Amino acid sequence: MPSRYDLLHPLTKLSLALVLIVAAYLSPSVWLSTAICGAALLTTAASHRRGEIARVYPLFFVPITISLLLIRGVLVPDVRTSPIDVGGFVLSLDAIAGAWIYILRYCTLVAALFTVIQTTPTAQLMHALAERGLPRSIEFILLMALQIIPDMKLRADAILEAQQSRGLVIHSLPSRIRALVPLIGPLVVGALVDVEERSMALELRAFAATNRPTRMTVLLDSRAQRVVRVACIGAVVAMAVAVVGVRYLP
Amino acid sequence: MNDAIVATNGLSFRYTRRTTPALDQISIAIAAGSVTAIIGPAGAGKSTLCALLAGFMPRFFRGVVDGTATVDGMSPIEGSVHAMLPHVTVVLSQASTQISGVCDTVAGEVGFALANMGLPVDTIRTRVAEALATMEIGHLAERSPFQLSGGQQQRMVIAAALALNPPVLIFDEPTAQLDPPTVAALGDTLRRLAAAGKTIIVAEQHLDWVAAYADRVIVLNAGRLHADGPPQTIIADPQLALGRSYAQRLSSYAQLHGVWQGSTVATTHAGLVRGIRTDAPVEPVSRPLPRAHAAPMQAPVLTCTSVQFAYPNGVPVLTDVDLTFGHGERVALLGRNGAGKSTLLRHFNGLLRPQSGSIALNGVDIAKRAPGTLARQMSIVFQDVRNQLFAATVRTEIAYGPSLLGIPSIDQERRVTHALAVCGLTNDADTHPYDLPVARRRLVATAAIMALESDIIALDEPTAGLDSDSIETLSSAIATCTQAGRTVILVTHDLNFCATHTDRVVLLAGGRIVLDAPWASLNEDHIALLDREVGLPLGFDVARTCGIAAGNALHRCLTAPAGLR
């Protein structure tokens, strides 16, 4: 059952994500960054697919957290402030705090955007953008690129199965290199052959029609959502102006 | 013909950079409200004619057009595909490449063209619902098109064409991926559409289907009009060398056994039912039992024990599958689209692992073996041979598998030469596989697997898209395998082919094995079950329509594999 967040207009969700991402990028303080990241995670929690989405987060967050802590905390330590010696490595609390802000920015970006993508059917997102003037050809290219990815993955799996069925074993780096041609060859040739048939299929689906296409989905919108979107855009502009003012004005 | 809705006059087409025409002086007139089949060997020009009538030449496919063509009063040569859409549409043979990639649901895909044409939402919804219902995929409306099986995708693209509702519908080999009930249902649907005034043109290899559903047959050969007439006349004409339909083969066989009362061979099921003498004395005909059943049981070559498998979302695909295959057995693995056949096949050589239960090859559990290491024991020719072919010549393609297995070069050469000869590819050895017609590419893939000389060879939909000559070659290749003692598993919707080339039938329904018996020992209940799930091979179907009981001498005669050979 879709949640109230899931049913928001795609552009409302995108606007909320944008304001969180910009705020996280501009935030100078650890505590504010933590709060903003928490807000991004709240959007995940508000989705009916929160379980599925949350299961993927460790894959995104853990490697980047470890690597950023190492890079910022150990390799670029600011040893003039609060140096800590850990088994020969000199860490700095300020450097760790700095790394933490970067981690929070990254987590905010991932959580905000991933939740929007996972809770918004691609066609609806493109529909919303097309209503705001996105050219049809761009809409199609974006949609096709997004939708074809699973198709290519299936094709790649099928090629691997076909070659394994005739004795291909991949167990070491040399065997992986040797397997490249039998695996990539059918993928490329298949894709080239597919292009012709897929183009034919699009012709047969009236894609070349010049009239305004009918949209099969109705995007739910409301005055409140429109106000929220305007407020979000206003907040983004205000934050940008504030930062420019603080940094560059005498 | 005055009421012709499709007409061509001296129509020729030569692709750019080709020296010979793909179509040469074709003059035909097709009446509205008819079903016309276009048949002919691979490369005859069937698909080119279909594409041309839909408006693809000469702008989409570049080339030189001569002569004239009209479809519903429009010239497809002068108009674009888009301009022709209200008048004609075509369904291509490969379903997976006809998915636009733009819609995230089946319903969206079926209605995509209508939406692009700017039709009102209500009209689109109504037409989509009708088309989905016609193709019996209403329950899949909200699924992703990419999550469907090959057969389901084929039904979806046909539904998308039906939703357009043009007066002329062209189908290029529409039955290649469909299970027999859907093939029959499609035939009935096309007949219904023709009765309602639609004009149906079908490029098809399947002579029995053509005989059953077409009003007229146009035969092309090397781009020229070879013959044109009613199916009974065309298919029965030996001068045309079209190969014989299964109905013709069965009626000739009945003649041979003195149970035929007609003066000519039949080309349809109805003709067979009329011609069979149910009161004639029949000499006993024995159908051989499979080796594993006829001879004392040797150690089985493949054993599945309580195999269970489910998709990551928890939907069960295989449930409690217990199976044993003996050396040299020939087994048909049957089931509707989505019954779990391909999934089960992938378990046999370790491509998929059962979630519980076990699989053993030659008595050894394969749970910890990498799939590629099992190719000496078990190999598979998959349905989409594009996933397999990569080499620059047919010879190197066939040699690739034996080289992976570490076969010495002298033996490799022997295997390659043998596989080339068995699959009728000796003269194509130095040709690039993609320079061959699609039907022959499938034979290349089969030869590449035969060269592995595995204990078990499985073929997934081996006859899909093959012309009659290629099917004959495939039959010989299968016979060579079984003579060498290899186990052959056919996963196919071609019931007549598998009834001719296998001894045992394994039927899957909803991921469970609901029938596992030799063809020779099927009783009335088995036959009814088979009919309900996938339909019946012709001999069984005719015997049932004639009221001949299973086990009866005449029943054994009509269902013996030699009858269809």
Side-chain angles (χ1 to χ4, degrees):
Chain A
M1 191 70 181
S3 68
R4 289 182 69 178
Y5 173 82
D6 297 335
L7 295 174
L8 289 177
H9 189 281
L11 293 184
T12 308
K13 287 191 248 183
L14 262 185
S15 304
L16 287 170
L18 182 69
V19 93
L20 289 169
I21 292 165
V22 172
Y25 182 76
L26 298 178
S27 160
S29 112
V30 171
W31 297 111
L32 184 57
S33 295
T34 307
I36 293 166
C37 186
L41 291 172
L42 273 179
T43 62
T44 306
S47 149
H48 85 292
R49 296 182 65 186
R50 52 187 163 269
E52 290 170 62
I53 298 170
R55 269 196 292 278
V56 184
Y57 281 167
L59 299 175
F60 284 119
F61 296 160
V62 173
I64 204 80
T65 302
I66 292 170
S67 48
L68 273 175
L69 280 175
L70 283 174
I71 291 166
R72 298 282 302 187
V74 177
L75 300 179
V76 203
D78 183 356
V79 291
R80 291 167 301 174
T81 57
S82 323
I84 308 167
D85 192 338
V86 183
F89 289 101
V90 179
L91 290 173
S92 145
L93 280 180
D94 284 359
I96 290 171
W100 189 242
I101 289 182
Y102 276 100
I103 292 164
L104 289 169
R105 283 176 186 169
Y106 171 77
C107 292
T108 305
L109 178 84
V110 169
L113 281 183
F114 195 62
T115 306
V116 173
I117 290 167
Q118 289 295 306
T119 58
T120 313
T122 321
Q124 279 191 24
L125 184 59
M126 292 302 146
H127 178 177
L129 292 172
E131 281 185 343
R132 299 300 184 281
L134 183 76
R136 187 159 162 72
S137 54
I138 304 288
E139 177 195 356
F140 170 70
I141 289 167
L142 287 172
L143 266 174
M144 197 156 167
L146 288 168
Q147 301 271 15
I148 292 299
I149 290 167
D151 188 38
M152 290 293 275
K153 164 86 171 59
L154 290 176
R155 168 64 65 83
D157 289 345
I159 290 168
L160 181 61
E161 288 186 346
Q163 304 303 6
Q164 285 177 322
S165 291
R166 61 204 290 214
L168 181 70
V169 182
I170 300 172
H171 53 78
S172 60
L173 185 61
S175 69
R176 281 174 195 276
I177 293 167
R178 280 196 300 274
L180 274 179
V181 173
L183 294 180
I184 302 294
L187 194 64
V188 173
V189 174
L192 290 175
V193 173
D194 281 1
V195 163
E196 183 177 89
E197 291 198 9
R198 221 177 267 283
S199 305
M200 287 178 79
L202 281 173
E203 290 279 335
L204 292 166
R205 298 284 198 281
F207 194 73
T210 49
N211 51 297
R212 189 181 167 83
T214 306
R215 296 290 178 178
M216 291 303 293
T217 48
V218 178
L219 298 175
L220 297 176
D221 206 355
S222 62
R223 184 181 166 77
Q225 286 197 59
R226 283 191 286 274
V227 168
V228 167
R229 289 202 291 271
V230 170
C232 285
I233 301 299
V236 168
V237 172
M239 282 188 281
V241 168
V243 166
V244 169
V246 168
R247 286 190 187 168
Y248 301 108
L249 292 182
Chain B
M1 196 179 289
N2 291 332
D3 58 347
I5 190 166
V6 176
T8 68
N9 188 11
L11 183 66
S12 299
F13 180 73
R14 183 173 56 77
Y15 287 100
T16 305
R17 292 200 291 271
R18 294 282 173 91
T19 51
T20 53
L23 296 174
D24 192 3
Q25 295 289 318
I26 305 286
S27 297
I28 51 173
I30 296 173
S34 63
V35 178
T36 301
I38 304 173
I39 63 173
K46 305 185 294 291
S47 296
T48 302
L49 181 57
C50 292
L52 194 149
L53 293 176
F56 281 100
M57 280 81 164
R59 281 165 295 279
F60 188 92
F61 289 113
R62 303 247 170 220
V64 180
V65 186
D66 270 333
T68 61
T70 54
V71 178
D72 193 27
M74 296 280 290
S75 167
I77 301 163
E78 289 163 18
S80 63
V81 176
H82 169 236
M84 293 302 295
L85 270 182
H87 310 276
V88 58
T89 191
V90 61
V91 178
L92 308 173
S93 55
Q94 185 78 27
S96 61
T97 55
Q98 290 173 80
I99 300 171
S100 67
V102 178
C103 305
D104 43 24
T105 65
V106 168
E109 184 69 33
V110 171
F112 183 54
L114 305 177
N116 286 332
M117 292 163 88
L119 297 185
V121 171
D122 289 344
T123 308
I124 296 174
R125 291 220 169 102
T126 307
R127 287 216 210 156
V128 167
E130 284 171 1
L132 292 174
T134 302
M135 294 314 296
E136 297 180 359
I137 50 170
H139 61 292
L140 302 174
E142 296 307 315
R143 289 264 289 273
S144 162
F146 292 108
Q147 288 176 342
L148 305 183
S149 70
Q152 289 168 335
Q153 285 181 344
Q154 184 76 343
R155 290 196 227 179
M156 180 187 70
V157 297
I158 294 173
L162 295 180
L164 277 167
N165 200 28
V168 180
L169 284 152
I170 302 176
F171 297 84
D172 190 356
E173 294 196 32
T175 64
Q177 296 179 49
L178 300 181
D179 56 30
T182 314
V183 169
L186 176 65
D188 294 336
T189 303
L190 298 188
R191 290 272 12 139
R192 252 196 335 272
L193 290 168
K198 302 282 181 199
T199 305
I200 311 292
I201 299 172
V202 187
E204 178 62 56
Q205 307 275 14
H206 191 169
L207 291 178
D208 290 276
W209 191 89
V210 167
Y213 296 105
D215 300 309
R216 171 184 175 193
V217 179
I218 290 169
V219 185
L220 296 184
N221 199 346
R224 298 187 74 93
L225 184 63
H226 195 47
D228 184 354
Q232 287 72 21
T233 313
I234 295 290
I235 292 171
D237 187 347
Q239 303 291 323
L240 294 173
L242 298 172
R244 294 195 310 155
S245 69
Y246 283 111
Q248 285 174 291
R249 293 169 200 224
L250 191 58
S251 59
S252 298
Y253 185 74
Q255 260 177 345
L256 193 71
H257 283 266
V259 296
W260 185 253
Q261 57 193 356
S263 54
T264 55
V265 293
T267 55
T268 61
H269 180 277
L272 277 166
V273 172
R274 279 196 304 274
I276 297 290
R277 282 180 60 198
T278 51
D279 56 344
V282 183
E283 287 180 26
V285 175
S286 65
R287 179 172 183 131
L289 286 169
R291 287 186 187 202
H293 289 258
M297 192 70 172
Q298 312 167 32
V301 65
L302 174 73
T303 310
C304 301
T305 310
S306 304
V307 167
Q308 309 240 23
F309 184 80
Y311 287 130
N313 62 7
V315 175
V317 189
L318 299 174
T319 309
D320 289 331
V321 172
D322 288 298
L323 264 180
T324 301
F325 295 139
H327 286 276
E329 266 202 285
R330 304 182 307 167
V331 185
L333 183 55
L334 305 181
R336 283 176 166 245
N337 290 132
K341 306 184 296 294
S342 296
T343 304
L344 181 58
L345 200 60
R346 282 169 167 78
H347 279 77
F348 291 165
N349 69 343
L351 293 173
L352 291 175
R353 306 286 180 189
Q355 277 147 356
S356 68
S358 65
I359 293 167
L361 280 169
N362 291 314
V364 178
D365 193 323
I366 64 169
K368 292 188 176 142
R369 299 279 303 276
T373 62
L374 298 166
R376 279 176 194 267
Q377 284 95 18
M378 163 92 203
S379 52
I380 303 173
V381 185
F382 286 102
Q383 188 175 350
D384 191 347
V385 299
R386 287 180 306 177
N387 294 336
Q388 186 182 323
L389 306 179
F390 72 95
T393 66
V394 169
R395 186 188 300 281
T396 47
E397 185 70 52
I398 297 172
Y400 177 66
S403 71
L404 286 173
L405 298 185
I407 305 294
S409 57
I410 293 176
D411 196 25
Q412 266 187 45
E413 186 58 37
R414 176 194 64 76
R415 289 181 181 211
V416 171
T417 308
H418 179 65
L420 283 168
V422 166
C423 292
L425 294 164
T426 305
N427 293 333
D428 298 317
D430 297 316
T431 309
H432 195 291
Y434 276 90
D435 286 338
L436 296 173
V438 176
R440 293 190 71 71
R441 270 182 238 161
R442 185 172 287 283
L443 291 176
V444 175
T446 307
I449 293 298
M450 284 191 69
L452 297 170
E453 299 188 355
S454 315
D455 297 333
I456 308 170
I457 292 177
L459 298 108
D460 194 357
E461 293 298 347
T463 59
L466 294 194
D467 55 19
S468 58
D469 287 347
S470 303
I471 289 178
E472 287 301 320
T473 308
L474 181 70
S475 302
S476 309
I478 290 173
T480 306
C481 287
T482 47
Q483 279 158 16
R486 300 187 216 302
T487 302
V488 174
I489 301 170
L490 298 183
V491 180
T492 179
H493 294 315
D494 190 340
L495 295 171
N496 291 321
F497 185 81
C498 70
T500 316
H501 294 89
T502 62
D503 308 305
R504 172 182 162 196
V505 53
V506 173
L507 177 64
L508 271 170
R512 290 177 186 274
I513 291 180
V514 293
L515 174 62
D516 180 3
W519 288 105
S521 66
L522 295 185
N523 60 32
E524 295 290 349
D525 290 342
H526 294 151
I527 293 169
L529 176 63
L530 200 61
D531 187 29
R532 219 167 33 244
E533 289 298 325
V534 293
L536 293 173
L538 189 61
F540 285 88
D541 201 3
V542 169
R544 192 191 55 172
T545 313
C546 292
I548 304 162
N552 177 306
L554 180 55
H555 191 279
R556 281 201 296 276
C557 173
L558 292 175
T559 58
L564 295 176
R565 218 171 265 157

